[in-house]
Amino acid sequence: MTTRKDMLMTRKPGALLGLFLGLALLATACGDSGTSTQGASPGAGGSEAAAGGVPSFPEGTTMAEIQQEGKMVVGTKFDQPLFGLKNPRTDEVEGFDVEIAKLIAEGIFGAGNAEGKIEFVETPSAIRESALVDGKVDMVVATYTINDERKQQVGFAGPYYVAGQDIMVKADNTDIKGIDDLNGKKVCTAEGSTSLENLETMAPEAEVTTFDVYSKCAAALSDGRVDAVTTDNVILLGLVDAAGDEFKLLENPFTEEPYGIGVAKEDTEFRMFINDRLEEIYESGEYVEAFESTAGKVAEQAPEPPAVDRY
Ligand code: GLU
């Protein structure tokens, strides 16, 4: 079995150095304190902050390894306003998924200590599973629907949000009112998404165009190469909002898309830690704050957080 350490070593040369530095620091810390444990140990699934605000985790867990390395690698989207968007002016990624990732990282590094310790990498829909399987990322927070097919390859904490697939058309379009109307129309969605699978089963006569990312579908709709774009309502809402008056969302969702946090399939401890952490941020109000400062600026109101599924 490949451990997170093995994967990080293949990830890039700098990671190995970071790991050694982390271990060296840890060795120094242990030397100072003799055999005493450092602060409260919350157990494998726990995330309570120890004295000094830094949680402690059992040796060998993904949480401990991320903490020792001082870096967490997170896969997210870079072109989806409201959930995951790389701001071209600041080069920072912004959105609800990004905030959720930061809150999970704070559960590892301690409140206020995650700054500068998260590396966000772009994971378009079709590469999310392989990014996790190959150990390129520690977790994926990327409008990622939990389903049984994906569970064959990856694990999912959550859900932390439930979206629904919907349709975006030009603002003046009057003939597309729902999924059935997509038969015979040119429709765009992303490769490797549940949106594509649903489109193919629910409107089998649609003429489908796919790209790696949804922003390319929005461009195709804008210049008339396609008649409609279909994916999750919250993704489309961000694209509608970013395009001024050009597009509209039908607001007629026809699926349920529970968003999960993707982790390595066998890493039950890490998955349960994230589930615990989600429950903490539901309780503390940080979940609602994260929503209101991002998607909530355009979407109606913060959702009632869904119950996590500890399968
Ligand atoms: N939530 C759907 C999925 O995970 C569509 C959105 C996306 O592609 O990120 O496939």
Side-chain angles (χ1 to χ4, degrees), residues 77 125 128 142-143 145 150 193-195 214 231-232 235 259:
K77 299 297 187 78
S125 304
R128 292 174 293 195
T143 60
T145 296
R150 290 173 176 167
S193 66
T194 54
S195 316
Y214 295 102
T231 186
D232 301 341
I235 299 173
Y259 287 176

Side-chain angles (χ1 to χ4, degrees), residues 73-87:
V73 185
V74 179
T76 195
K77 299 297 187 78
F78 278 14
D79 73 322
Q80 295 178 190
L82 308 184
F83 270 65
L85 178 73
K86 187 157 188 171
N87 184 326

Side-chain angles (χ1 to χ4, degrees), residues 16-28:
L16 189 58
L17 180 67
L19 182 69
F20 283 141
L21 286 175
L23 289 175
L25 283 173
L26 185 78
T28 314

Side-chain angles (χ1 to χ4, degrees), residues 156-174:
F156 283 106
Y160 62 96
Y161 186 82
V162 184
Q165 187 168 340
D166 207 331
I167 296 163
M168 175 172 86
V169 292
K170 282 261 180 77
D172 59 2
N173 180 293
T174 49

